[in-house]
Amino acid sequence: MAGTKSTAGWTYDVHPGLAMVQSIIAGMKQKTGRSLEEWVQWVKQHGPATEKERRDWLKSKHGLGATAAQFITESSVGKGNDGDPGKYLKSAAINVEKMFSGPKAGLRPIYNALLISARKLGKDVKICPRQTIVPFFRHHVFAQIKPTTQTRIDLGLALKDMKVPRRLIDTGGFARNDRITRRIEITSVAAIDEEVIRWLKTAYQMDA
């Protein structure tokens, strides 16, 4: 599905995780005996009041796995993702506007410059905003933008355990088996220099 433009004019892409969501929804009736809609109605009528209690109740009383229980529970309290690409793209643009508003509005030029740099890497780059971060995908996440403070964006990079200069800070991600293993602190557009672009390109190429 084609991307959608935010109010700032950026085109975003459908998050790869939506395919998994669609698969869960499609197979839920066969695997659990009820469709997602049927489970949500059942939980609202017969389940506990809180999200955590509902999740535990679905696992203990109904024998559902953690993924299905979490998915049903979130849907029952209005937090669920129904796998609709259009809804995701609409929320993606809204998430970005929220991330870079108020005290963090001054970070928007840095964000814009990083998006331009990412798009130049290749036509297969996908930019898929979430609530607090903006990941860049090729086949997997190879980088992400995080507005960490009111004055700083952290550019996270998937660089495994390769040797890097001091400027690239260890996130501890390699030890935790996370993809993002290094981050660069960026406090101005001018800080997005040749070295930053080179490491961003390296992370992109490593996900070939």
Side-chain angles (χ1 to χ4, degrees), residues 137-199:
F137 287 84
R138 193 176 188 184
H139 301 292
H140 309 88
V141 175
F142 69 87
Q144 70 180 30
I145 291 173
K146 182 177 181 179
T148 307
T149 73
Q150 295 180 18
T151 59
R152 188 185 91 226
I153 280 179
D154 282 342
L155 175 63
L157 300 168
L159 296 173
K160 298 183 179 179
D161 62 340
M162 69 183 302
K163 291 183 178 180
V164 295
R166 277 185 163 184
R167 187 181 183 187
L168 278 71
I169 301 167
D170 188 348
T171 66
F174 186 75
R176 298 192 305 267
N177 202 30
D178 291 342
R179 285 195 56 79
I180 301 300
T181 60
R182 299 288 190 272
R183 65 181 176 89
I184 303 176
E185 297 182 347
I186 301 178
T187 56
S188 68
V189 173
I192 307 173
D193 54 19
E194 291 183 3
E195 183 180 32
V196 170
I197 301 304
R198 182 169 66 253
W199 284 110

Side-chain angles (χ1 to χ4, degrees), residues 14-30:
V14 175
H15 195 289
L18 261 67
M20 181 184 74
V21 172
Q22 292 169 335
S23 176
I24 291 172
I25 293 174
M28 191 168 290
K29 179 85 170 181
Q30 181 179 357

Side-chain angles (χ1 to χ4, degrees), residues 9-202:
W10 291 112
T11 299
Y12 298 123
D13 306 285
V14 175
H15 195 289
L18 261 67
M20 181 184 74
V21 172
Q22 292 169 335
S23 176
I24 291 172
I25 293 174
M28 191 168 290
K29 179 85 170 181
Q30 181 179 357
K31 291 182 178 180
T32 69
R34 291 187 177 95
S35 67
L36 175 62
E37 293 78 9
E38 290 168 341
W39 271 116
V40 169
Q41 188 65 26
W42 180 263
V43 169
K44 287 180 177 180
Q45 290 180 349
H46 305 286
T50 70
E51 183 178 348
K52 182 181 185 304
E53 287 173 332
R54 287 179 176 183
R55 182 172 59 251
D56 294 342
W57 178 73
L58 286 169
K59 290 191 289 185
S60 62
K61 184 173 179 63
H62 295 280
L64 297 185
T67 300
Q70 179 74 18
F71 200 80
I72 293 165
T73 300
E74 290 183 349
S75 296
S76 74
V77 296
K79 292 167 56 178
N81 181 345
D82 63 5
D84 184 298
K87 289 182 181 178
Y88 166 77
L89 290 170
K90 183 178 179 180
S91 67
I94 292 172
N95 286 339
V96 171
E97 298 307 313
K98 289 181 178 179
M99 265 189 276
F100 297 99
S101 63
K104 294 184 179 180
L107 296 173
R108 194 62 182 256
I110 302 174
Y111 170 75
N112 291 344
L114 287 170
L115 256 64
I116 290 171
S117 299
R119 287 295 191 198
K120 287 181 178 179
L121 293 173
K123 292 182 179 180
D124 55 352
V125 172
K126 299 180 181 67
I127 298 174
C128 309
R130 298 178 65 181
Q131 288 188 340
T132 59
I133 59 173
V134 181
F136 300 161
F137 287 84
R138 193 176 188 184
H139 301 292
H140 309 88
V141 175
F142 69 87
Q144 70 180 30
I145 291 173
K146 182 177 181 179
T148 307
T149 73
Q150 295 180 18
T151 59
R152 188 185 91 226
I153 280 179
D154 282 342
L155 175 63
L157 300 168
L159 296 173
K160 298 183 179 179
D161 62 340
M162 69 183 302
K163 291 183 178 180
V164 295
R166 277 185 163 184
R167 187 181 183 187
L168 278 71
I169 301 167
D170 188 348
T171 66
F174 186 75
R176 298 192 305 267
N177 202 30
D178 291 342
R179 285 195 56 79
I180 301 300
T181 60
R182 299 288 190 272
R183 65 181 176 89
I184 303 176
E185 297 182 347
I186 301 178
T187 56
S188 68
V189 173
I192 307 173
D193 54 19
E194 291 183 3
E195 183 180 32
V196 170
I197 301 304
R198 182 169 66 253
W199 284 110
L200 180 61
K201 185 175 182 179
T202 297

